[in-house]
Amino acid sequence: MPKKTDDKKEKMKISVHKVHAFLIVIALLIVILIGRIGYIQFVQGEWLKQKEYSQSTSNTIISAKRGTIYDRNKKALAMSAEVDTVSVNPQYIVVKKDGKIDEEATKERKEKLSKKFAEIFSLEYEEVLAKLNSTKSVETIVNKVETDKVNELRTWLKDNKISSGINIDEDTKRYYPYDNLASNLIGFCGASNQGLEGIELSYDDVLKGTNGKLTTAISVTQEAIPDQNEKYIAPENGSNIYLTIDSNIQGIVEKYLKQAVEEHNCKRGGNVVIMNPENGEILAMATYPNYNLNEPYTPNDSLKQGWENLSQQEQTNKLYNMWRNKAVVDTYEPGSTFKLITASIALEEDLVETDVAGDFYCGRRTASSK
């Protein structure tokens, strides 16, 4: 009898140990689970929140309109026009049937889209098709195109019931109505409308303005979902600039500067500055050879010969030299204007007196007096 009782007690002890072990394991799992939840909540929480936000919302940058550059007579020398940029999300240009992607129909849609893009924007069909078949999340089809072409695309997309995966974003493009006029003075802008040379660079903070933003919720196919959380921040356009330059005088100066440089075979070119002597206003500032502001990366006539044989670095150096405003950047011996400084120093140090004949007479033309 005692033996059976001992066996029963032993079995009960084993059972109790098993229950304790089970409870300990459960407790450990609960602790690990709480720790994991805490890690996700407090350590990864902000990162996960931002990731979810970026996947479920679309932030469209609305470009500010760059300020206009006018001459003294309010004639526009540089202005901005509204254009659009077209891009695609290749993974969302699909055709679904019964909830599944129809590979054949998707292929046909991409081919059809590529043909239309190539037709409207004068692009190579094969290059466009490669972008639509890309594994990248976003591919730019064309930058800064005129509104009429984009409207034609919008109509075609609507008629063919294609909406997902195609992005049309508003943008602005810089135009220079007089091409070469005052090119080395005005300068030009880059692809993002940032000033790169001349007035465009020097007054970039004044001209560029502040971009706006449109935030909207989007579906898994990148289509906008209008809701109460949609936010629109209007862009602040840049300020206009009025130069003292007179475009009429500038045009005349450039015409005769070109004529003089070509007649006298001036290999280093030339520059002219016309100033109002009464107040110091610059009425014209010309450099020759100049360049077309609407095509700043195209070499001018003086650089075209042998251009293709130059290395990329040599071409870059030549372009930088072409853009230079020599009247401002290049140095030149002061000549007779420096005599005023010499005379002032002599008077300041009591080395000479005023109105003494011959003290400031320069009877021979030297390098410093030319």
Side-chain angles (χ1 to χ4, degrees), residues 351-361:
L351 299 176
V352 295
E353 296 180 358
T354 59
D355 300 325
V356 177
D359 275 3
F360 297 102
Y361 173 71

Side-chain angles (χ1 to χ4, degrees), residues 45-279:
E46 189 61 30
W47 176 76
L48 289 171
K49 181 181 177 181
Q50 291 296 329
K51 190 172 182 180
E52 184 277 333
Y53 179 81
S54 65
Q55 291 177 347
S56 62
T57 58
S58 171
N59 292 309
T60 303
I61 299 299
I62 303 173
S63 298
K65 189 175 182 181
R66 194 172 176 85
T68 301
I69 299 176
Y70 294 98
D71 78 341
R72 67 186 303 113
N73 301 313
K74 296 184 179 180
K75 185 181 290 185
L77 303 178
M79 62 182 72
S80 295
E82 292 183 359
V83 291
D84 293 284
T85 293
V86 180
S87 62
V88 296
N89 305 108
Q91 67 270 38
Y92 297 119
I93 303 176
V94 295
V95 178
K96 290 185 177 181
K97 290 184 179 180
D98 300 326
K100 295 182 179 180
I101 296 176
D102 187 324
E103 298 291 346
E104 189 62 31
T106 297
K107 180 181 177 183
E108 290 179 4
R109 172 171 288 188
K110 289 186 176 182
E111 290 174 350
K112 191 175 180 180
L113 268 171
S114 298
K115 288 178 182 177
K116 199 61 185 178
F117 282 143
E119 176 189 330
I120 295 176
F121 304 119
S122 301
L123 304 172
E124 291 293 331
Y125 167 76
E126 295 296 337
E127 292 180 6
V128 177
L129 183 59
K131 290 182 177 181
L132 267 61
N133 289 322
S134 171
T135 56
K136 293 182 180 179
S137 59
V138 180
E139 285 280 5
T140 299
I141 300 299
V142 63
N143 281 312
K144 300 182 184 297
V145 291
E146 288 73 16
T147 305
D148 57 339
K149 291 185 177 181
V150 173
N151 289 338
E152 182 182 347
L153 175 63
R154 282 194 174 102
T155 301
W156 184 86
L157 291 173
K158 185 178 180 180
D159 292 341
N160 288 269
K161 299 179 180 179
I162 300 174
S163 57
S164 61
I166 313 296
N167 311 306
I168 299 175
D169 299 313
E170 293 181 1
D171 204 345
T172 59
K173 183 178 180 180
R174 203 65 165 162
Y175 286 101
Y176 303 92
Y178 300 101
D179 293 331
N180 292 51
L181 186 74
S183 56
N184 300 82
L185 171 65
I186 297 172
F188 58 93
C189 293
S192 301
N193 286 327
Q194 77 279 21
L196 296 180
E197 288 288 335
I199 296 293
E200 294 278 29
L201 173 60
S202 300
Y203 291 89
D204 188 54
D205 289 340
V206 177
L207 290 164
K208 67 182 180 181
T210 304
N211 290 336
K213 185 170 68 172
L214 174 63
T215 302
T216 57
I218 55 174
S219 67
V220 293
T221 58
Q222 301 294 294
E223 293 182 279
I225 305 174
D227 62 7
Q228 69 275 13
N229 295 318
E230 184 174 276
K231 293 181 181 179
Y232 173 75
I233 301 174
E236 296 180 14
N237 293 334
S239 300
N240 299 329
I241 287 180
Y242 295 84
L243 305 179
T244 61
I245 296 294
D246 187 315
S247 58
N248 296 318
I249 298 175
Q250 182 76 24
I252 294 170
V253 169
E254 290 188 5
K255 175 184 176 181
Y256 288 104
L257 174 61
K258 177 182 178 182
Q259 181 179 318
V261 169
E262 291 176 350
E263 284 182 0
H264 298 282
N265 193 26
C266 301
K267 295 182 179 179
R268 295 178 60 186
N271 57 81
V272 173
V273 177
I274 303 294
M275 181 186 292
N276 183 342
E278 295 183 356
N279 53 24

Side-chain angles (χ1 to χ4, degrees), residues 339-351:
K339 293 176 182 177
L340 295 172
I341 298 176
T342 305
S344 299
I345 293 173
L347 290 168
E348 178 72 20
E349 299 297 324
D350 294 325
L351 299 176

